[in-house]
Amino acid sequence: TTEPQLFYDMVHYGHSNQLRQAKAMGDYLIVGVHTDAEISKHKGPPVFTQEERYKMVRAIKWVDEIVEGAPYVTTLETLDKYNCDFCVHGDDITLTVDGKDTYEEVKRAGRYRECKRTQGVSTTDLVGRMLLMTKAHHSNIVSLHYQQHTDNFGKGPKGHSPWTGVSQFLQTSQKIIQFASGKEPQPGDTIIYVAGAFDLFHIGHVDFLEMVYKQAERPYVIVGLHFDQEVNRYKGKNYPIMNIHERTLSVLACRYVSEVVIGAPYAVGKDLLDHFKVDLVCHGKTEVLPDKDGVDPYAEPKKRGIFRAIDSGNNLTTDDIVQRIIENRLQFEARNQKKEAKEMAVIEAMKKREQKEQGEAPAQTAH
């Protein structure tokens, strides 16, 4: 049994990938998720409430069980309480408020394993992308103001921490294989098709997909993802915030999804419905814009009588999330600068220790 300790102020495919790796190290994966209060104390206010985060983590297909309100510091006592053989964490540094390694005790006991951080994504990077988006839609005066914010997001001074940078995600077929279910529809399955952007995969999407999943006894849910250009056509601004490769992994990590069409046509036509032998097509409460030629993209499934509008009871949109995050931006920024300073201090200390061990005179650092 493995237990990664996760706070997740925003759940993204990088976290899902860590959970995938953690699950592969053992047989049963228990995930500890922190409360809002606990995160605020250590990291600054989270974007999502604990209830939303519990639900998001439960929706990730490699998770067997979650522990609500897990302590920030993983102790041997916690591991024993949940019968865990070891705990897993990413290969970045996590420090407590007083600058100590959060995992010191379990490391000493040999009950700590590490998984690789997903290249190309971090909460900080995603927030940076959102801030860039708002920056692009304001007058020049406001732009300068936003420019200062976005520059602080991993693109700041030369001495920035290697753990808090903005990078570019590189998709590989291997990654898709790792995330894909590999299951084909079985006789007796109801094949359900849904389409959209599923950008910044969030709790609104999870609630919708869970509702879609519940439409049949044996559902096989296929999600059609529109290419970036298509999404930008109907969403405008700088959408999508996550590119098609990132959105593919985000959706594949969800336990309600069996398959993803990477770059689905906007109009749900005859060819697609026949090819996948679709029994049911669902759409949520978001507005359906006509296709480029002015036609309803759901005309064909409606004609066949297999279209169903779904109300998940959750009205959260990607727009709302971007708003939430931007309102949080100053706190985020403060958090990020503090985190960066903390990490830089650790790196300095490591350097000094190495120099001491090598018996060199300490090099002068310019501040």
Side-chain angles (χ1 to χ4, degrees):
T1 310
T2 60
E3 185 195 44
Q5 205 62 19
L6 306 167
F7 25 84
Y8 291 162
D9 46 1
M10 204 175 129
V11 184
H12 54 66
Y13 67 93
H15 298 132
S16 303
N17 192 37
Q18 283 186 322
L19 293 176
R20 180 190 65 76
Q21 292 175 66
K23 173 76 180 210
M25 294 176 191
D27 306 301
Y28 191 83
L29 179 62
I30 300 173
V31 181
V33 186
H34 306 316
T35 60
D36 295 344
E38 194 81 336
I39 295 177
S40 297
K41 194 168 94 190
H42 294 267
K43 307 264 290 186
V47 182
F48 297 101
T49 66
Q50 56 205 42
E51 292 308 322
E52 289 173 318
R53 289 179 295 107
Y54 297 154
K55 195 158 190 181
M56 280 298 289
V57 176
R58 276 197 181 98
I60 296 169
K61 64 182 174 187
W62 297 286
V63 176
D64 293 302
E65 194 185 313
I66 80 161
V67 172
E68 301 185 358
Y72 194 78
V73 177
T74 304
T75 59
L76 292 171
E77 193 190 346
T78 306
L79 291 183
D80 292 338
K81 182 179 174 183
Y82 298 104
N83 290 322
C84 291
D85 298 297
F86 56 88
C87 69
V88 183
H89 192 267
D91 55 3
D92 51 339
I93 308 176
T94 52
L95 307 171
T96 57
V97 179
D98 46 16
K100 282 220 293 281
D101 179 352
T102 325
Y103 288 89
E104 204 174 353
E105 188 194 6
V106 287
K107 279 178 181 173
R108 272 206 309 265
R111 290 170 72 181
Y112 175 85
R113 305 270 192 287
E114 217 159 64
C115 58
K116 285 192 175 57
R117 225 188 131 108
T118 308
Q119 166 275 327
V121 67
S122 68
T123 301
T124 311
D125 166 39
L126 290 171
V127 173
R129 296 188 212 178
M130 289 172 228
L131 291 175
L132 277 169
M133 177 172 97
T134 54
K135 179 179 78 68
H137 303 287
H138 287 73
S139 70
N140 289 340
I141 305 155
V142 185
S143 279
L144 284 170
H145 179 57
Y146 273 112
Q147 189 59 53
Q148 286 163 353
H149 287 315
T150 48
D151 284 351
N152 288 331
F153 276 82
K155 288 184 178 166
K158 284 288 168 283
H160 76 269
S161 153
W163 290 291
T164 317
V166 174
S167 53
Q168 205 49 63
F169 172 67
L170 303 167
Q171 182 75 292
T172 59
S173 53
Q174 185 55 31
K175 193 106 277 76
I176 295 176
I177 288 168
Q178 287 168 345
F179 271 63
S181 75
K183 289 194 197 75
E184 297 200 356
Q186 298 304 308
D189 285 358
T190 300
I191 298 168
I192 309 175
Y193 181 77
V194 300
F198 293 88
D199 191 15
L200 280 180
F201 195 74
H202 56 73
I203 190 74
H205 296 133
V206 168
D207 283 340
F208 168 68
L209 289 169
E210 184 185 10
M211 201 71 170
V212 166
Y213 188 83
K214 286 177 175 166
Q215 300 301 304
E217 197 82 343
R218 288 177 46 190
Y220 186 94
V221 179
I222 303 174
V223 175
L225 288 178
H226 301 137
F227 277 132
D228 299 347
Q229 209 177 343
E230 190 71 75
V231 174
N232 187 259
R233 182 183 70 82
Y234 63 83
K235 291 273 289 183
K237 293 188 195 159
N238 286 30
Y239 285 115
I241 286 162
M242 281 185 169
N243 68 35
I244 184 75
H245 304 304
E246 299 176 294
R247 293 183 286 120
T248 298
L249 296 186
S250 304
V251 172
L252 281 174
C254 179
R255 65 171 70 248
Y256 306 117
V257 176
S258 298
E259 183 60 292
V260 168
V261 180
I262 306 168
Y266 188 69
V268 183
K270 228 172 101 31
D271 291 350
L272 184 141
L273 295 174
D274 294 344
H275 175 77
F276 291 111
K277 302 184 170 56
V278 176
D279 299 303
L280 187 61
V281 176
C282 296
H283 185 80
K285 285 286 171 224
T286 53
E287 187 192 356
V288 179
L289 289 173
D291 203 352
K292 289 188 206 66
D293 53 11
V295 173
D296 174 3
Y298 292 110
E300 182 63 25
K302 282 175 181 169
K303 195 177 98 185
R304 296 186 182 195
I306 60 168
F307 178 81
R308 194 176 294 174
I310 300 286
D311 185 1
S312 67
N314 186 335
N315 300 322
L316 196 66
T317 65
T318 301
D319 260 328
D320 298 332
I321 282 169
V322 172
Q323 278 321 112
R324 268 199 209 188
I325 287 168
I326 284 158
E327 281 157 23
N328 237 359
R329 75 176 181 268
L330 293 167
Q331 290 155 314
F332 255 98
E333 192 176 295
R335 177 195 94 174
N336 210 51
Q337 282 169 331
K338 225 158 76 186
K339 185 176 168 211
E340 192 129 315
K342 232 197 243 177
E343 288 173 353
M344 290 310 291
V346 170
I347 290 161
E348 278 299 309
M350 282 171 167
K351 270 191 204 149
K352 280 194 182 121
R353 199 180 311 147
E354 272 170 32
Q355 284 164 348
K356 214 167 155 185
E357 282 162 10
Q358 289 160 5
E360 299 168 13
Q364 288 296 304
T365 328
H367 286 289

